Amino acid sequence: MDVRRKQWRRGRPNKRRRAADNDDEPAFEKVPRRSMANDRQSVRVLLPVKTRHGVIQKTEVLNRKEDSPVESDEADDGSASGEDIDEVHETPPVAEESPEDKTPRTAVKSLSDKYRQLQQVKQQIGSMASAIVEDPQDKVGHFKELIALLRNGAPGISHIVQRLAALTLLEVFKDVVPGYAITAPTAHGSGPKQKLKKETRALIGYEEALLRYYGQYVGCLRKILARHLKRLKSAQSVLRLRLSTALAQVAARCVCGLLLAHPHFNLRGQLIELAVHCLGSSDDKMSLTACQALRQLYRQDRLGESTLDAVKRTRALLKARGLQASVASCLRHS
């Protein structure tokens, strides 16, 4: 037993030796470390400085490449204040860009933003048009958003968006307009005393909404043509007049397209009036578009009602403005 006890005591660490090791740990922690972040730099330990906040160990960093010593401070207790050490941080001067360098970047960024915005509007218009064509009765509310784009456009790209909206509405109305004229709601027998089926009420509501949006679309085309005529009479810049002419040409194309696609539908008289108005326009493209549309209308009209209305309005135009070559050629070749 004594032998085992002696061996066990030999294996235990001595308390005095353990206390000595613990006393050496703070001294080892106080020794400054050499930074290995940069192999080109070497650190030299300087004399410590004693302040009221504690002892500050001074070190000097030597840069071998530039041979310029840089001093750094390390405090034992980490409580050095700004009164004892003043650090000056120098920031390198930033070269300011001249206005000539900023202008091309701003213009390119503006064009990029407009192009991105135009692509988003195109996707929005395409998705709404596809939804209406797939299910007109349930998605008839999308006409309101398309007509809003036709009226207001979009900031910065309003003239392009208005033309896209006008042509999109033209194609959509060509597909969804029925082959008969929509009569008043009272003609369907939708009085307060008569009960209708759910499907019949839904169909009547859809026809009323379709006719309302169709009238708003024709009204927008009328305003575009009237605004263009007003700008022609007033002094306008070349760019503004060019954009107005392009939009008016699209409006004339939409008017003639609706008239030829559905001459039996509602608001036929207003479309013929607008087509005759475009026929007497000073713009050659608008006049040619209206002339070709009226010629085709004369050929395909079997009942003669649309032709009679168009001839009456053309005669009134000739009487008001005098004989014009474009109007006379339309009547001569019809």
Side-chain angles (χ1 to χ4, degrees), residues 95-309:
E96 297 182 356
E97 296 181 357
S98 60
E100 297 179 356
D101 297 338
K102 291 183 179 180
T103 303
R105 295 183 181 179
T106 305
V108 170
K109 185 178 179 181
S110 177
L111 291 176
S112 177
D113 294 341
K114 288 182 180 180
Y115 178 78
R116 190 181 303 108
Q117 183 183 4
L118 180 60
Q119 296 302 319
Q120 293 177 357
V121 174
K122 283 184 178 180
Q123 293 179 0
Q124 181 183 1
I125 292 175
S127 61
M128 288 188 294
S130 300
I132 294 174
V133 173
E134 290 176 0
D135 194 355
Q137 191 167 348
D138 292 340
K139 304 298 182 180
V140 70
H142 287 323
F143 277 115
K144 183 178 181 180
E145 301 177 15
L146 291 174
I147 292 174
L149 290 175
L150 175 60
R151 288 175 177 171
N152 305 322
I157 52 174
S158 59
H159 57 286
I160 302 178
V161 174
Q162 285 178 327
R163 282 182 282 178
L164 289 175
L167 294 174
T168 303
L169 284 168
L170 170 63
E171 299 300 327
V172 172
F173 277 120
K174 282 183 178 180
D175 292 336
V176 302
V177 166
Y180 55 89
I182 298 176
T183 57
T186 55
H188 291 283
S190 59
K193 296 182 180 180
Q194 187 173 0
K195 295 182 180 180
L196 299 175
K197 294 182 179 180
K198 184 178 180 180
E199 294 80 4
T200 306
R201 290 197 302 268
L203 179 60
I204 293 174
Y206 163 69
E207 289 179 349
E208 291 177 357
L210 179 63
L211 184 59
R212 181 173 64 254
Y213 292 128
Y214 188 82
Q216 292 178 6
Y217 177 54
V218 175
C220 290
L221 297 178
R222 179 187 294 274
K223 289 181 180 179
I224 291 173
L225 294 174
R227 192 183 304 118
H228 174 65
L229 181 61
K230 185 177 180 181
R231 287 178 178 175
L232 288 176
K233 296 180 180 179
S234 60
Q236 297 288 338
S237 62
V238 178
L239 179 60
R240 186 180 295 273
L241 187 59
R242 185 181 302 174
L243 295 177
S244 177
T245 303
L247 184 58
Q249 291 174 356
V250 172
R253 177 182 170 185
C254 295
V255 167
C256 297
L258 284 179
L259 181 60
L260 293 177
H262 302 286
H264 60 277
F265 196 63
N266 302 65
L267 306 180
R268 179 185 60 193
Q270 297 185 21
L271 293 176
I272 293 176
E273 180 184 357
L274 294 176
V276 173
H277 170 76
C278 296
L279 181 64
S281 175
S282 59
D283 185 74
D284 295 336
K285 190 173 182 179
M286 293 175 58
S287 179
L288 181 60
T289 301
C291 183
Q292 293 176 354
L294 290 176
R295 287 179 185 176
Q296 188 174 353
L297 179 65
Y298 296 154
R299 294 190 184 100
Q300 71 182 17
D301 187 17
R302 302 301 179 184
L303 300 178
E305 297 178 357
S306 302
T307 303
L308 179 60
D309 194 1

Side-chain angles (χ1 to χ4, degrees), residues 24-33 74 76:
D24 294 340
E25 289 180 359
F28 177 76
E29 293 293 336
K30 294 179 181 180
V31 177
R33 272 69 168 176
E74 293 180 3
D76 286 346

Side-chain angles (χ1 to χ4, degrees), residues 51-53 56 79-86:
T51 63
R52 60 180 181 179
H53 298 285
I56 301 175
S79 60
S81 64
E83 298 178 357
D84 302 320
I85 303 173
D86 295 333

